[in-house]
Amino acid sequence: MRTVDPAKREAKRLQILAAAARCFARKGFGQTRTADICAEAGMSPGNLFYYFGSKQDIFAAVVEQDGVDTEALFAGLSAAEPWDALTRFFDLVVDLAADADYARLALEISAQAHRDERIAALVAANDRSVRSGLADLVARATGAGRIDPGLDPTTTATWLATLVDGLFNRVAVDAGFAPERERESLHLILARLLRHEAQPES
Amino acid sequence: MRTVDPAKREAKRLQILAAAARCFARKGFGQTRTADICAEAGMSPGNLFYYFGSKQDIFAAVVEQDGVDTEALFAGLSAAEPWDALTRFFDLVVDLAADADYARLALEISAQAHRDERIAALVAANDRSVRSGLADLVARATGAGRIDPGLDPTTTATWLATLVDGLFNRVAVDAGFAPERERESLHLILARLLRHEAQPES
């Protein structure tokens, strides 16, 4: 007999993932115990283990959820004018990087991907969807005459993704770097990198 | 009575740091035991503890040594023509990012900086020296007419440092990204970002 409503179950699952994400961000994967996640989520170990088999499974689900959120983000930009969409994507990245827990979690996930093949595969899939979302935006903006047609969308998307990675890392190493204050210089950088008015001599 | 030659002592210290860097890169700080570092360095625990009091001290010394290496790198570029020096700096970064152990260590250090104030302070100092080295190169290249004089050297150096961070992270998440194959597109990006021929409309 099924006693748990699927929507409630999903809400509970997301609540655990959000609590776990905060724990992993603050203590790292290695130092986080499932007891910490239970305390943060305000639930018993028995209840937690009804949803996830292990700390490893929870971490993997956090990374998977990040991928789901990324797809939703790009879907939300698909109707916008492509150059605006690209600029808004970077504004959203700036908002995420300005959230200390999110920035820390991003780094922790990258570090963990080096040591766990399952995490590496999930991270690689998320990264592919970021790059393909960006490549689509670049291709559409090029078609609309907003980006230098001499730029290859795939290579360009890879470098834009590199800039995204760098933003999260910058927050980690440089206490003086406030992403939300850098919005304007980031827009200038995107214009210099991409607009066809910005042709370098070599 | 002093029995250890200072030069030999320093060589031994650097040998331990190199062995420890490999261990930290491969297993992470949390999972590395001093026994692993002893095995990698081919020395006894007693000998290791003659040089360093703890695993924490070794990790801090690895980060400190990275700062010493960075200063040496910029010193080595100080006599070169400034635009060439800037390009060569990025070529050296590409070489480092192409070394899997180094790229992993860079991520591990960033992750650890979030959880350990002593590491955070060392990382912040290293980052300041990267940014100030880059700002000097940008200012010199601007003075030599090689960079758009409308760009502020400090802000520009911060974004160049962001690109450096991003390169190391890209290696971690994207198995298809080979830094050494991206040298040419990186040179193009630097030209578009910095050269005064590359003025965007907005």
Side-chain angles (χ1 to χ4, degrees), chain B residues 126-178:
Chain B
N126 290 356
D127 182 60
R128 273 195 301 276
S129 85
V130 169
R131 282 183 290 125
S132 100
L134 283 170
D136 279 354
L137 287 178
V138 169
R140 282 174 52 217
T142 306
R146 306 295 303 267
I147 284 184
D148 182 351
L151 294 173
D152 170 59
T154 306
T155 305
T156 304
T158 298
W159 283 105
L160 292 177
T162 302
L163 199 58
V164 171
D165 299 340
L167 255 173
F168 286 111
N169 206 68
R170 186 113 299 272
V171 173
V173 295
D174 181 356
F177 184 83

Side-chain angles (χ1 to χ4, degrees), chain A residues 10-86:
Chain A
E10 176 61 10
K12 197 84 183 168
R13 209 184 70 90
L14 290 175
Q15 180 196 332
I16 297 170
L17 292 182
R22 289 190 295 274
C23 293
F24 292 133
R26 292 168 193 170
K27 305 185 80 174
F29 176 77
Q31 313 275 359
T32 297
R33 297 161 308 148
T34 50
D36 301 321
I37 300 173
C38 291
E40 182 75 21
M43 67 200 304
S44 70
N47 204 352
L48 186 90
F49 285 117
Y50 172 74
Y51 290 90
F52 295 101
S54 66
K55 181 174 86 164
Q56 280 74 12
D57 287 351
I58 300 175
F59 194 83
V62 165
V63 180
E64 225 163 3
Q65 187 58 40
D66 195 47
V68 171
D69 294 346
T70 301
E71 302 269 4
L73 192 157
F74 279 112
L77 294 172
S78 64
E81 191 281 324
W83 180 263
D84 282 357
L86 201 57

Side-chain angles (χ1 to χ4, degrees), chain A residues 70 74 89 125-135 157 161 164:
Chain A
T70 301
F74 279 112
F89 172 80
N126 290 356
D127 182 60
R128 273 195 302 276
S129 85
V130 169
R131 282 184 288 124
S132 100
L134 284 169
V164 172

Side-chain angles (χ1 to χ4, degrees), chain A residues 97 103 107 166-179 181-182, chain B residues 110 113-114 119-132 154-155 157-159 161-162 165:
Chain A
L107 273 182
L167 255 173
F168 286 110
N169 206 68
R170 184 112 301 270
V171 173
V173 296
D174 180 357
F177 184 83
R181 280 207 311 266
E182 299 290 339
Chain B
S110 295
H114 270 313
I119 300 304
L122 290 168
V123 165
N126 290 356
D127 182 60
R128 273 195 301 276
S129 85
V130 169
R131 282 183 290 125
S132 100
T154 306
T155 305
T158 298
W159 283 105
T162 302
D165 299 340

Side-chain angles (χ1 to χ4, degrees), chain A residues 127 170 192-193 195 201, chain B residues 127 170 193 195 201:
Chain A
D127 182 60
R170 184 112 301 270
R192 291 188 73 110
L193 273 179
R195 302 290 278 267
E201 62 169 7
Chain B
D127 182 60
R170 186 113 299 272
L193 274 180
R195 303 292 277 267
E201 62 170 7

Side-chain angles (χ1 to χ4, degrees), chain A residues 81-153:
Chain A
E81 191 281 324
W83 180 263
D84 282 357
L86 201 57
T87 316
R88 274 166 57 195
F89 172 80
F90 274 90
D91 287 341
L92 291 166
V93 166
V94 164
D95 291 341
L96 287 174
D99 172 347
D101 273 352
Y102 190 90
R104 287 171 193 192
L105 182 65
L107 273 182
E108 185 63 22
I109 290 172
S110 295
Q112 204 55 24
H114 270 313
R115 298 196 283 273
D116 182 329
E117 285 184 14
R118 179 184 176 192
I119 300 304
L122 290 168
V123 165
N126 290 356
D127 182 60
R128 273 195 302 276
S129 85
V130 169
R131 282 184 288 124
S132 100
L134 284 169
D136 278 354
L137 286 179
V138 170
R140 282 174 52 217
T142 306
R146 306 295 304 266
I147 286 184
D148 182 351
L151 293 173
D152 170 59

Side-chain angles (χ1 to χ4, degrees), chain B residues 58-133:
Chain B
I58 300 176
F59 194 82
V62 165
V63 180
E64 224 163 4
Q65 187 59 41
D66 195 46
V68 171
D69 294 347
T70 300
E71 302 268 5
L73 192 157
F74 278 112
L77 294 172
S78 65
E81 190 283 324
W83 180 263
D84 281 358
L86 201 56
T87 317
R88 273 167 55 195
F89 171 79
F90 274 89
D91 286 342
L92 290 167
V93 166
V94 165
D95 291 342
L96 287 174
D99 172 346
D101 273 352
Y102 190 91
R104 285 170 195 193
L105 182 65
L107 273 183
E108 186 64 21
I109 290 172
S110 295
Q112 203 54 27
H114 270 313
R115 297 195 283 273
D116 182 330
E117 285 184 14
R118 177 184 179 193
I119 300 304
L122 290 168
V123 165
N126 290 356
D127 182 60
R128 273 195 301 276
S129 85
V130 169
R131 282 183 290 125
S132 100

